[in-house]
Amino acid sequence: MALNIRQLTPVFAAEITGVDLRAPLDDETFATIRDAFHTHAVLAFPDQHLDDDQQTKFSERFGALERSIAETISANPVVYHLANVDDEGALLKPDDPKRMILEGNKAWHTDSSFKVVPAMVSLLSAREVPPEGGETEYADMRAAYDALDDNKKRDLEDAIGLHSFAYSQGQLGTGALTGDELDALPPVEHPMIRTHPANGRKALYIGRHASHIVGRLVEESRTLLGELLAFATQPQFTYRHEWRVGDLVMWDNRSVLHRGRPWDESRYRRVMHRTTVAGEAADNPWRVDAAAE
Ligand code: OGA
Ligand code: MN
């Protein structure tokens, strides 16, 4: 069966069939997938049914993996279980700290933008899905940037966003991390416009961890961030993935925002496993192979 790439919206996201990600890929097939990834920014692979080891190996083709922030969130530092069930398989109680952390995923964000070197790629596989709801939505920040008027583009050209885990968790009112875990996550600065190294496309870099714009009035810059987010997540820039068990979806955190959609968590299980490819900076302290401080 030949590899087949089908674009899912007029602007981004594609579905790839005709490839088995459980087996090692030859270099040519991998290069085709990587090029499609840089073009479409979100790739959906139906019917893959990967186990953790297969998902890890495929993810590592894109680069060294990223550690999750804390044991509170993920017992396994490399394969993060987003699940509303505990180790015994029981549905989490509404006040379980893990469930509160997962609530955060329901607001538009780009993964680990609160880290000094944010995530490059995230790969999410569906192990158990609810019969309704629980979709994941993506918004193309390249298309959104392209659609900004020239004044806005100029205004944002050199703007720096301040991203903070304490800020975004504070919005949810949770205290799931310990003091030491929070100390490892001081606020960090990132350009609001990022240029993709593979294709030179510019993209807005915003989302829920962005607290304000450095050197501007906090409240004014929060208003601007809110306006930009509303503009950039309009339907013409978005794709909604309706999960089926066995799907693997990967996205480029440099190019898109994403958010999870609600479902009836008191009735239905949803179990997703995520691997994350670390940002490429050589001194990225979150890479799994970096020496822990
Ligand atoms: C993630 C995430 C949303 C979802 O895996 O990083 O934000 O729908 N997921 O589970
Ligand atoms: Mn996420």
Side-chain angles (χ1 to χ4, degrees):
M1 194 170 157
L3 191 135
N4 179 47
I5 303 174
R6 179 173 71 92
Q7 194 156 330
L8 293 168
T9 79
V11 296
F12 79 128
E15 180 186 81
I16 298 195
T17 51
V19 62
D20 180 0
L21 302 181
R22 289 172 301 184
L25 297 177
D26 61 70
D27 289 346
E28 194 190 334
T29 305
F30 177 71
T32 304
I33 291 173
R34 193 193 45 217
D35 289 349
F37 182 60
H38 291 150
T39 303
H40 302 289
V42 176
L43 296 180
F45 299 88
D47 278 328
Q48 291 294 334
H49 301 278
L50 303 184
D51 64 25
D52 285 356
D53 191 49
Q54 292 157 344
Q55 182 171 341
T56 300
K57 288 208 169 71
F58 175 62
S59 304
E60 283 173 340
R61 293 293 293 266
F62 293 86
L65 300 191
E66 179 184 288
R67 278 187 294 122
S68 78
I69 48 176
E71 220 171 291
T72 332
I73 293 181
S74 182
N76 178 332
V78 173
V79 184
Y80 171 21
H81 294 193
L82 292 85
N84 66 331
V85 294
D86 63 22
D87 294 340
E88 278 76 51
L91 288 169
L92 295 181
K93 304 252 168 356
D95 60 351
D96 190 298
K98 275 209 184 91
R99 187 151 152 193
M100 290 193 267
I101 288 277
L102 290 174
E103 273 307 298
N105 286 341
K106 294 177 186 155
W108 289 108
H109 65 283
T110 170
D111 286 332
S112 49
S113 70
F114 51 79
K115 288 181 176 172
V116 59
V117 181
M120 180 162 69
V121 184
S122 297
L123 304 96
L124 192 61
S125 67
R127 310 299 173 101
E128 295 182 52
V129 301
E132 56 191 355
E135 304 89 348
T136 306
E137 285 184 336
Y138 299 91
D140 188 343
M141 293 302 108
R142 309 163 307 174
Y145 171 82
D146 290 346
L148 289 174
D149 66 45
D150 287 345
N151 283 338
K152 263 286 187 316
K153 285 183 183 158
R154 261 195 301 278
D155 179 44
L156 297 174
E157 191 56 42
D158 299 314
I160 304 287
L162 192 99
H163 295 246
S164 157
F165 187 80
Y167 169 74
S168 53
Q169 290 305 295
Q171 300 294 100
L172 296 167
T174 73
L177 294 202
T178 65
D180 283 353
E181 288 167 343
L182 272 176
D183 286 349
L185 295 166
V188 293
E189 299 183 356
H190 300 300
M192 288 185 64
I193 310 295
R194 292 182 72 171
T195 303
H196 200 286
N199 55 28
R201 286 195 70 180
K202 289 184 175 176
L204 266 175
Y205 195 69
I206 54 178
R208 75 183 187 96
H209 304 300
S211 151
H212 57 275
I213 303 174
V214 175
R216 300 196 193 182
L217 293 173
V218 171
E219 287 314 319
E220 263 172 42
S221 60
R222 271 186 193 155
T223 302
L224 174 57
L225 285 168
E227 288 167 2
L228 286 169
L229 191 70
F231 175 82
T233 55
Q234 294 176 90
Q236 68 268 33
F237 304 129
T238 65
Y239 164 66
R240 169 184 285 221
H241 189 76
E242 292 177 11
W243 292 96
R244 290 174 44 203
V245 170
D247 287 354
L248 178 82
V249 176
M250 61 185 294
W251 62 91
D252 193 329
N253 284 298
R254 302 165 294 190
S255 305
V256 301
L257 292 180
H258 62 282
R259 68 170 176 179
R261 303 305 290 153
W263 77 99
D264 187 347
E265 293 180 54
S266 65
R267 287 174 70 188
Y268 300 122
R269 300 158 62 94
R270 183 177 188 265
V271 179
M272 316 285 286
H273 288 195
R274 196 185 91 194
T275 41
T276 314
V277 181
E280 278 177 316
D283 56 353
N284 183 354
W286 295 98
R287 275 169 57 152
V288 286
D289 54 355
E293 318 103 82

